[in-house]
Amino acid sequence: GQNIDQPTEMTATEGAIVQINCTYQTSGFNGLFWYQQHAGEAPTFLSYNVLDGLEEKGRFSSFLSRSKGYSYLLLKELQMKDSASYLCAVNSNYQLIWGAGTKLIIKP
Amino acid sequence: KAGVTQTPRYLIKTRGQQVTLSCSPISGHRSVSWYQQTPGQGLQFLFEYFSETQRNKGNFPGRFSGRQFSNSRSEMNVSTLELGDSALYLCASSQRQGATDTQYFGPGTRLTVL
């Protein structure tokens, strides 16, 4: 079967760093997406990894290890507006398989 | 450029009824994907349309169907509604087909089945 695992909920402090992990077991792999979804809003694109390694984009970075079936999203200098759900999605044989999402709570 | 629009935003139906949801993609985008989102379940893929053809389908019963028009607008239909169909239905558009492209999501239609 196809499976994507993410922690259900994480809590972090404003100004700190947090790492959200995503592990996947899928029949195929053509890339991995991270999306951010604020409560009551639509998901918005954050990053896309196809090759192993780290992709940095401002305060957000995403890492991929295809051999380990593992990715993480790193958020630095956390702000209150980063409170949201973070969704990991794998392109498996050209169909997106989504994780259930990680709800990130930022405390002052 | 206008974003993805979905109508209606909210809908209340009763069991056994049918419903049609509409999605207008970003201008120039030819792919439209539909998702069901429920608390704790994440996004469940329903189907994808590209150039008026269904290219991919998730594991949903035949009560869920869709279509795409020549202007790339898409509709999703659910017949014989069940209580478990209550969810947020999201559509997303992208320029290229498949899951290799960034998807832009609409605000969703929240369907409540009583």
Side-chain angles (χ1 to χ4, degrees):
Chain A
Q2 315 236 64
N3 194 50
I4 297 181
D5 285 318
Q6 302 179 238
T8 304
E9 188 174 293
M10 299 181 70
T11 303
T13 305
E14 190 177 14
I17 299 173
V18 72
Q19 178 176 309
I20 302 174
N21 295 326
C22 170
T23 57
Y24 61 89
Q25 290 177 307
T26 55
S27 57
F29 181 85
N30 302 100
L32 186 146
F33 289 88
W34 284 97
Y35 281 80
Q36 179 191 59
Q37 186 176 24
H38 285 100
E41 297 182 13
T44 55
F45 170 79
L46 287 177
S47 68
Y48 180 49
N49 293 68
V50 178
L51 301 176
D52 291 350
L54 188 68
E55 295 270 347
E56 296 186 80
K57 195 183 291 186
R59 294 189 300 114
F60 292 10
S61 303
S62 57
F63 172 83
L64 175 67
S65 169
R66 289 172 296 172
S67 62
K68 294 182 179 177
Y70 168 69
S71 173
Y72 67 73
L73 181 68
L74 191 71
L75 291 73
K76 303 176 186 174
E77 300 168 16
L78 286 170
Q79 302 175 10
M80 297 303 293
K81 67 178 182 179
D82 297 329
S83 291
S85 287
Y86 291 85
L87 312 178
C88 167
V90 170
N91 175 353
S92 173
N93 300 322
Y94 300 97
Q95 180 172 323
L96 276 183
I97 311 298
W98 294 79
T102 299
K103 183 178 180 180
L104 177 64
I105 299 167
I106 309 296
K107 294 186 175 180
Chain B
K1 227 181 215 185
V4 178
T5 58
Q6 291 186 247
T7 57
R9 293 292 311 278
Y10 302 91
L11 208 48
I12 298 175
K13 293 285 188 179
T14 56
R15 277 181 303 174
Q17 287 187 308
Q18 76 164 24
V19 66
T20 299
L21 312 181
S22 181
C23 173
S24 292
I26 291 172
S27 177
H29 285 193
R30 296 166 64 190
S31 170
V32 173
S33 296
W34 288 90
Y35 296 93
Q36 181 193 69
Q37 187 174 37
T38 53
Q41 286 282 325
L43 285 171
Q44 303 293 316
F45 173 74
L46 282 154
F47 29 66
E48 179 195 9
Y49 285 87
F50 184 84
S51 294
E52 302 178 63
T53 302
Q54 188 180 89
R55 301 292 178 147
N56 232 327
K57 191 177 191 305
N59 296 322
F60 277 81
R63 300 185 296 110
F64 292 81
S65 63
R67 59 178 176 168
Q68 187 179 34
F69 302 95
S70 58
N71 62 357
S72 294
R73 189 177 71 85
S74 178
E75 287 183 348
M76 187 190 94
N77 185 275
V78 188
S79 62
T80 320
L81 283 166
E82 300 177 0
L83 294 178
D85 296 334
S86 293
L88 180 68
Y89 289 89
L90 292 163
C91 81
S93 77
S94 57
Q95 288 184 320
R96 299 188 300 267
Q97 178 194 342
T100 55
D101 202 5
T102 300
Q103 298 199 328
Y104 295 86
F105 285 82
T109 294
R110 186 162 295 282
L111 173 64
T112 302
V113 181
L114 303 176

